[in-house]
Amino acid sequence: DAGVIQSPRHEVTEMGQEVTLRCKPISGHDYLFWYRQTMMRGLELLIYFNNNVPIDDSGMPEDRFSAKMPNASFSTLKIQPSEPRDSAVYFCASSPYTWGGTDTQYFGPGTRLTVL
Amino acid sequence: AQSVTQLGSHVSVSEGALVLLRCNYSSSVPPYLFWYVQYPNQGLQLLLKYTTGATLVKGINGFEAEFKKSETSFHLTKPSAHMSDAAEYFCAVSEGAGGTSYGKLTFGQGTILTVHP
């Protein structure tokens, strides 16, 4: 299995530009998670999906952030407009369904976003 | 709400020495507990997990952790450190079945492990 795939691996953009991060989860996994990692705030859950439906988006910082999962094999996280404080590493993770809820999460390699 | 506290943002040991990384949690329902490891410029990788059953859990690379409900702890240990263990380690908690937001992982702030020759 190829694991969770994220693209791009690195993104440098200027303040005000739109940024789209992409994720392909492991085939057959029912849950997909988006995290953000910064030195100051650590690893934060932004949003997660179950069977392509957003379950909890309480971690999404503000309206500039949006996430979609149009099908079981693809998800996007969009920031519009981007700001320097959005600079971080963004991880996507997926998890299979198990009795009682999700279990092990499998992480992608992350996208390092720099907003100038 | 669930939370995780990792005691010590940096831990330094000599090669061959005992590794002990501390994690305490709070959860209103019986938790699922995890340790993940992150090597530089990589995503997180599961080391081990506790869901139900035996409280001493063995993971990959010789690591193990013990769930102690009375102490709300899930400390990670390895008898003998190796240079390749140098990485950042994250403890995480998930509400199990019965929780209002099960499936959602809450991570600690991470502990950077340095191994000296």
Side-chain angles (χ1 to χ4, degrees):
Chain A
D1 199 319
V4 176
I5 299 173
Q6 291 188 246
S7 64
R9 292 294 310 275
H10 301 272
E11 177 80 34
V12 180
T13 191
E14 293 188 348
M15 183 174 62
Q17 296 298 306
E18 177 179 295
V19 175
T20 299
L21 311 181
R22 297 173 176 80
C23 175
K24 177 179 170 55
I26 294 172
S27 178
H29 283 192
D30 292 317
Y31 287 81
L32 183 139
F33 306 81
W34 281 102
Y35 292 91
R36 177 172 68 176
Q37 186 178 37
T38 62
M39 290 291 291
M40 291 298 295
R41 301 176 66 89
L43 198 60
E44 305 172 276
L45 176 66
L46 300 178
I47 185 171
Y48 77 98
F49 296 82
N50 179 20
N51 291 323
N52 314 334
V53 176
I55 301 300
D56 185 342
D57 65 355
S58 59
M60 295 287 263
E62 48 199 273
D63 292 345
R64 297 184 298 105
F65 286 69
S66 63
K68 294 182 180 180
M69 192 165 186
N71 58 63
S73 59
F74 183 65
S75 177
T76 59
L77 178 67
K78 186 175 293 186
I79 309 172
Q80 166 63 17
S82 58
E83 297 183 2
R85 61 192 167 123
D86 301 330
S87 297
V89 180
Y90 291 81
F91 289 103
C92 176
S94 70
S95 177
Y97 173 80
T98 56
W99 181 87
T102 62
D103 210 347
T104 305
Q105 294 186 19
Y106 297 83
F107 282 73
T111 295
R112 183 174 296 276
L113 173 65
T114 302
V115 183
L116 303 174
Chain B
Q2 51 197 3
S3 66
V4 176
T5 301
Q6 291 183 238
L7 299 177
S9 58
H10 289 81
V11 171
S12 181
V13 301
S14 298
E15 192 172 21
L18 171 72
V19 175
L20 171 60
L21 305 182
R22 299 177 187 274
C23 172
N24 288 89
Y25 70 91
S26 76
S27 177
S28 57
V29 297
Y32 293 170
L33 294 160
F34 304 80
W35 276 100
Y36 282 84
V37 61
Q38 184 179 29
Y39 297 101
N41 300 314
Q42 294 186 27
L44 279 70
Q45 176 186 358
L46 182 71
L47 269 181
L48 50 78
K49 64 185 178 188
Y50 168 80
T51 54
T52 59
T55 56
L56 181 62
V57 181
K58 295 186 184 298
I60 62 172
N61 301 336
F63 284 93
E64 62 182 36
E66 186 171 11
F67 169 57
K68 292 187 176 181
K69 183 179 179 181
S70 61
E71 299 178 7
T72 61
S73 69
F74 191 57
H75 302 330
L76 181 70
T77 61
K78 181 174 181 178
S80 177
H82 192 273
M83 297 293 289
S84 61
D85 295 327
E88 188 164 15
Y89 292 80
F90 292 89
C91 182
V93 62
S94 170
E95 293 182 353
T100 58
S101 61
Y102 70 79
K104 182 176 175 179
L105 277 181
T106 300
F107 285 88
Q109 286 295 100
T111 298
I112 295 173
L113 176 66
T114 303
V115 182
H116 296 288

